[in-house]
Amino acid sequence: LYSNVIENCRFDSCGCGVYVGIRAEAFVVSNCVVLNSYIGIHCIGGNNRIIGCLMRSCTYGFDMTSQSAADNDGHSTFIGLVIIHNTHAIKADNIEYGALFNGCTVFYGDIVLTNTTGIIFNGCEMGSLSTVTGSNSLGARIMNTVFNDMLSSVVSNVCLENCTNIDGTIFAN
C-alpha cells in the first residue's frame, strides 16, 4: 500500500479506528476523530504522516506496536495530534526506526516505550500522565515540551530536554 489518504473521518466504538500496517508507506491520515475504541490509531508502517487527529476515550489512544522489529517500522511523523482521556495515551513496542511526535497534546493515561529506538516528542503539551516509561528504548526524548503538572518524578529512562511547567519554571534543560 502506498500513498493512501484518509481524511475527515469519524470512528466510534471500533476495535481500531485507523490501522496503518507495517507495509503501509507514505500514508496521510488527517483530521480524523476516534472515540471510545480499543485502539484509536495504530501506525507502524514507514514514512507516514498522521496530522491533526483526535483520539479520545480509547483503551490505547495511539499504538505503535509491531510483533517484532521489522524493516519498515516507524520513521513516521505525527503532527498536532490530540490524545486525551485514554487509559493508555501512547504505546510503542518493537519500533526500530524511530518516530517524531511534533506539537501534540497528550493528557491522561501513560506513555510506554518498549524496545524502541529514536522516539521523539518535540514541542508538545502534556499533563495528568500517570507515567512515561522507556524500557530498552534508545534515544527516547521529550524536548521543548510544556507540562501542566510536574512530570519529572514519574519519568523513567526517557531523556527530558528543555521542558517547563505551564508557569514557565524549567525542570529539565
Side-chain angles (χ1 to χ4, degrees):
L1 298 174
Y2 189 78
S3 293
N4 288 317
V5 176
I6 301 168
E7 60 185 355
N8 300 317
C9 295
R10 180 183 171 98
F11 305 92
D12 196 340
S13 304
C14 301
C16 181
V18 176
Y19 179 81
V20 182
I22 195 73
R23 289 287 165 219
E25 183 83 15
F27 268 52
V28 176
V29 178
S30 68
N31 301 317
C32 292
V33 174
V34 185
L35 307 169
N36 308 307
S37 298
Y38 182 68
I39 297 172
I41 295 179
H42 181 101
C43 180
I44 55 173
N47 302 307
N48 296 298
R49 290 158 294 152
I50 312 291
I51 305 164
C53 296
L54 166 68
M55 289 134 279
R56 185 172 195 266
S57 302
C58 300
T59 302
Y60 293 93
F62 193 91
D63 185 11
M64 293 176 54
T65 299
S66 180
Q67 294 304 312
S68 62
D71 60 345
N72 197 49
D73 66 29
H75 64 284
S76 291
T77 303
F78 312 113
I79 303 165
L81 303 181
V82 177
I83 305 170
I84 56 172
H85 303 287
N86 300 288
T87 306
H88 307 283
I90 298 170
K91 177 184 173 192
D93 193 358
N94 291 318
I95 300 299
E96 186 175 358
Y97 295 108
L100 173 63
F101 290 82
N102 197 27
C104 298
T105 299
V106 184
F107 276 83
Y108 298 102
D110 54 16
I111 297 174
V112 178
L113 313 175
T114 307
N115 300 320
T116 63
T117 301
I119 306 289
I120 299 170
F121 297 88
N122 183 48
C124 297
E125 180 185 15
M126 297 182 175
S128 300
L129 298 171
S130 55
T131 59
V132 177
T133 305
S135 175
N136 195 31
S137 293
L138 304 173
R141 297 189 300 284
I142 299 175
M143 307 165 23
N144 308 310
T145 291
V146 175
F147 291 93
N148 275 13
D149 46 24
M150 181 61 84
L151 182 68
S152 60
S153 62
V154 295
V155 174
S156 173
N157 299 316
V158 175
C159 180
L160 297 174
E161 300 174 16
N162 196 34
C163 295
T164 64
N165 278 321
I166 196 164
D167 66 4
T169 57
I170 295 173
F171 68 89
N173 55 14

